[in-house]
Amino acid sequence: MTRASAFLALGLAVAAAGFTAVTKADAASPPAASPPAASTTDVQYRVTFDRTSAAARTIQVDMSFDVSSTEPVVLSIPAWTPGSYELDNFARYISGFSAESGGAPIDWDKADYDSWRVHPPAVGRVTVRFDYRADTLDTGMADSRDDFAFFNGANVFPYPEGQGFDFPARVSVTTESDWLIATAMESSGARGEYKAGSYHDLVDMPFFVGRFDLDSALVAGRWYRLGTHPEGALAGSDRERLWEDIQAMAAPMADVFGETPWDDYTILALFEDGYPGGSALEHQNSHLGIYAPGLIQSPVLPLVVAHEIFHAWNVKRLRPEELWPYAYDRSQPTTLLWVSEGITDYYADLALVRGGIIEPEMFYRLATFKITQTEDAGPIALEDASLSTWIEPDDGTAFIYYPKGSLAGLLLDILIRDATDNRSSLDGVMRDLYRSEFKAGSGFTEEEWWDAVSRAAGGRSFDEFRERYIDGRDPYPWNEILPLGGMTAATTTQRQPLIDAQIEGDGEGVRVTSVAAGSPAEAAGISPGDYVLRVGEIEVEDTSFAAEFRRRYAEAPEGTLVEIELLRDGRRITTETEIEFRESASYRVEEDPDASDRASRIRDGILTGTVQG
């Protein structure tokens, strides 16, 4: 999942001791409910979103099923949706729960905080109903407005506990006659009628319902569908360009794995004024994204789209053993999330450069940006970061496994190609594991990952690399490895002003979430919960003010005082503090003009997706 997080600091670059989104992840597992004795069959769901429910910002859900006895049935709602590595406890959005059989109400009670125990009075059909509050603008959630809603299956589809997840189900969507419905779920033929072969499929299919633009195109022999809201948000040449980018990126990604394992793919994109950047959530043959409209004409949009499409191979199919199969009632931490997310991020960049969407110079710029993020985040092991994401630590490292994992992919790609004189690559590792693990119906372990890397490199050991740079916290050896791939890391030293507080943008402004001990922010009396209104002469409107702060004060003398205006409990407060300065090395990835023939072949192989025969 690509998250829209503000990795910005008062005086530091992206991800530096800075401001990052802090949310409500909770890695505790709910108590296990008692397994039901009654079996359920012929499971059907009906989802209603029309003008009436839109006015209440709710989605109405019915679930009906046959029971074979009068024993209770426990129905549970997921605690999270795969790809969004946090426990959201979707049950808290449910209200108005009721149950009936034969047209009459029946008894029910709560089995635990996300489960309902229903007591059938006889063998036959049981129906439960509830409202789901759709008011959260998040790719893993559900949101609505007067003429539109999106939701994920994990939000609204309960499952009967104790019966596994292999049960088939039917879904009906009821909406206004002039509104559209878009999803990757298999159609049953009639409008708004769908079917899923298992619960895993059922909850992996987000929906758009309402007014939005919808069209489709044949891409590399597969049908792709593109739904965008609001109507007209992505239109004309901008829409044509995105379709061209999708056409260009599809083949390079499929070439990595040797197949495209879906018949059709659905892209759902919402463009929202004021949204901080871009965020999307992957599914097995679709993804749902939320974007600031300003990203439409930037390379960020195709990068996110490529990232999420690549996930359809890497994580929705090929994934760590700890995530196989998915469990929906608890967290599933893994030390390999850097492979699932970081390596995917690397291949998103490769898809764009191999597809001709961006030039090699942009590929180098993306690597440079990720190096800055990684260096500024400080020493953290990728394996540790993979585990910690479930609680979203507020030290600026919550999502560092994206850029740092991507760079690990680049370094491993170079090392594999160098060890084999460009006869093998990281592509081969992904293809090897895809065939040996996913095709065999299993996830991969750490040992299997590193064995595949070693095999691709002709038997070379990566024990030291793993110990130092994946499980360890050593800085990446840019100047040792990049030249092997025909690239250089030009180094410059910068003097950066620092206040050292973390913030997030919300609907009220720019709010302080934490203050580093012994920092200028602490000396100024800044506290979590304060809103930053002004720093020096810089009026603060959003988190982007940090770049202007760095530019304006980079050459200020030691001892410089800066006045800071805050809003605390509705009162304006003015304070001041002495800026601290930090000397930091920065890297700029470039093509090495003096690269050897061997290194040049490796560089060209990375950029084109080729190896030597």
Side-chain angles (χ1 to χ4, degrees):
M1 173 187 178
T2 302
R3 309 214 191 187
S5 300
F7 285 103
L8 299 171
L10 274 174
L12 293 183
V14 175
F19 308 126
T20 182
V22 179
T23 58
K24 70 287 173 192
D26 174 11
S29 299
S34 301
S39 64
T40 60
T41 56
D42 191 18
V43 178
Q44 299 181 43
Y45 302 88
R46 183 176 67 207
V47 179
T48 300
F49 180 75
D50 53 21
R51 289 186 173 87
T52 300
S53 55
R57 298 197 75 181
T58 60
I59 296 169
Q60 299 166 356
V61 182
D62 294 10
M63 176 187 183
S64 61
F65 48 88
D66 291 332
V67 294
S68 60
S69 75
T70 58
E71 296 297 327
V73 176
V74 176
L75 304 174
S76 292
I77 204 76
W80 71 296
T81 186
S84 181
Y85 303 102
E86 61 183 21
L87 293 183
D88 292 299
N89 297 315
F90 301 123
R92 62 198 171 122
Y93 297 97
I94 289 176
S95 63
F97 187 93
S98 66
E100 67 176 48
S101 181
I106 63 175
D107 290 340
W108 63 271
D109 61 350
K110 291 299 292 286
D112 58 49
Y113 58 75
D114 60 7
S115 303
W116 293 257
R117 185 186 294 109
V118 179
H119 302 272
V123 171
R125 198 75 176 162
V126 172
T127 298
V128 301
R129 296 189 174 91
F130 59 84
D131 291 334
Y132 189 90
R133 180 160 50 87
D135 65 353
T136 308
L137 189 63
D138 184 292
T139 55
M141 301 287 194
D143 196 24
S144 62
R145 55 276 328 256
D146 292 344
D147 60 357
F148 172 79
F150 71 79
F151 61 89
N152 287 272
N155 306 146
V156 298
F157 296 139
Y159 60 90
E161 286 198 5
Q163 300 180 42
F165 296 116
D166 292 331
F167 63 90
R170 289 177 285 165
V171 176
S172 299
V173 177
T174 300
T175 189
E176 303 292 342
S177 60
D178 58 339
W179 288 3
L180 300 176
I181 306 168
T183 180
M185 192 176 293
E186 183 180 355
S187 173
S188 296
R191 180 180 187 267
E193 300 290 329
Y194 306 92
K195 58 184 178 181
S198 73
Y199 189 76
H200 292 304
D201 294 339
L202 179 74
V203 296
D204 203 31
M205 308 286 177
F207 281 78
F208 267 16
V209 181
R211 297 190 182 278
F212 54 92
D213 293 326
L214 182 65
D215 58 354
S216 58
L218 193 63
V219 178
R222 300 290 191 272
W223 280 102
Y224 281 63
R225 184 187 297 111
L226 175 61
T228 57
H229 177 84
E231 293 173 311
L234 183 68
S237 60
D238 291 328
R239 196 176 190 89
E240 291 176 6
R241 182 168 56 253
L242 181 57
W243 271 121
E244 291 171 357
D245 290 344
I246 294 168
Q247 292 273 0
M249 69 177 67
M253 289 190 284
D255 287 346
V256 174
F257 297 93
E259 69 171 21
T260 300
W262 59 78
D263 294 326
D264 56 76
Y265 191 96
T266 300
I267 299 170
L268 304 175
L270 169 64
F271 296 93
E272 181 79 5
D273 288 333
Y275 193 74
S279 175
L281 182 62
E282 71 273 5
H283 300 275
Q284 61 182 283
N285 63 328
S286 65
H287 71 262
L288 191 159
I290 306 173
Y291 308 95
L295 297 183
I296 289 175
Q297 295 184 348
S298 83
V300 173
L301 181 57
L303 274 170
V304 175
V305 169
H307 180 106
E308 303 308 328
I309 294 176
F310 195 82
H311 265 320
W313 288 279
N314 187 34
V315 90
K316 298 312 298 185
R317 290 171 172 82
L318 173 65
R319 62 180 184 265
E321 182 180 55
E322 295 89 346
L323 293 171
W324 191 289
Y326 286 128
Y328 301 99
D329 63 341
R330 62 184 183 276
S331 60
Q332 292 182 276
T334 172
T335 58
L336 291 165
L337 200 57
W338 68 273
V339 175
S340 298
E341 294 292 351
I343 298 296
T344 293
D345 211 51
Y346 174 56
Y347 274 100
D349 298 350
L350 289 181
L352 266 58
V353 72
R354 290 174 180 179
I357 299 169
I358 61 173
E359 297 296 325
E361 289 72 19
M362 176 57 75
F363 177 81
Y364 303 142
R365 286 175 58 189
L366 291 169
T368 297
F369 178 68
K370 292 172 185 179
I371 289 176
T372 299
Q373 290 179 289
T374 298
E375 294 293 317
D376 287 342
I380 180 170
L382 273 174
E383 292 187 358
D384 294 348
S386 296
L387 292 170
S388 297
T389 190
W390 283 92
I391 61 168
E392 294 189 16
D394 62 5
D395 62 356
T397 66
F399 313 118
I400 197 63
Y401 55 84
Y402 282 89
K404 190 169 186 178
S406 177
L407 294 167
L410 172 60
L411 298 182
L412 287 172
D413 205 358
I414 292 172
L415 290 172
I416 293 168
R417 290 174 182 269
D418 178 67
T420 61
D421 195 17
N422 206 38
R423 289 183 174 85
S424 186
S425 69
L426 188 62
D427 295 16
V429 175
M430 306 304 291
R431 187 162 51 250
D432 179 1
L433 287 171
Y434 182 80
R435 292 171 177 172
S436 65
E437 302 307 320
F438 164 67
K439 291 288 190 176
S442 63
F444 63 90
T445 64
E446 284 193 76
E447 182 179 0
E448 287 165 340
W449 166 262
W450 291 109
D451 284 350
V453 172
S454 180
R455 282 195 303 274
R460 174 175 175 172
S461 173
F462 283 82
D463 290 348
E464 182 183 1
F465 186 94
R466 176 186 175 186
E467 180 181 349
R468 295 182 62 187
Y469 308 120
I470 306 299
D471 189 28
R473 301 172 184 83
D474 288 4
Y476 284 169
W478 310 116
N479 293 322
E480 295 176 24
I481 298 179
L482 286 181
L484 300 176
M487 306 172 204
T488 62
T491 306
T492 58
T493 300
Q494 295 178 318
R495 180 176 183 261
Q496 300 218 32
L498 174 70
I499 290 178
D500 214 359
Q502 294 186 8
I503 62 167
E504 67 176 3
D506 61 21
E508 302 297 324
V510 176
R511 182 172 62 88
V512 177
T513 60
S514 66
V515 174
S519 67
E522 184 181 62
I526 298 174
S527 300
D530 291 344
Y531 284 86
V532 185
L533 303 177
R534 177 175 55 82
V535 178
E537 299 175 358
I538 305 169
E539 299 294 331
V540 175
E541 297 181 356
D542 54 44
T543 54
S544 65
F545 80 92
E548 174 63 16
F549 174 81
R550 293 193 302 273
R551 185 194 65 79
R552 184 168 299 191
Y553 290 96
E555 303 302 324
E558 296 288 338
T560 295
L561 291 173
V562 62
E563 189 175 82
I564 301 172
E565 187 175 2
L566 307 167
L567 184 67
R568 179 182 298 167
D569 298 327
R571 297 179 298 109
R572 287 178 176 262
I573 297 173
T574 300
T575 183
E576 67 177 10
T577 192
E578 184 177 312
I579 302 173
E580 290 183 2
F581 295 88
R582 177 180 299 166
E583 294 290 333
S584 62
S586 63
Y587 297 88
R588 187 177 66 256
V589 178
E590 299 173 338
E591 181 176 307
D592 183 359
D594 300 319
S596 66
D597 290 344
R598 180 191 183 94
S600 296
R601 288 197 306 272
I602 290 173
R603 180 186 63 227
D604 294 344
I606 290 171
L607 298 175
T608 62
T610 58
V611 293
Q612 302 301 117

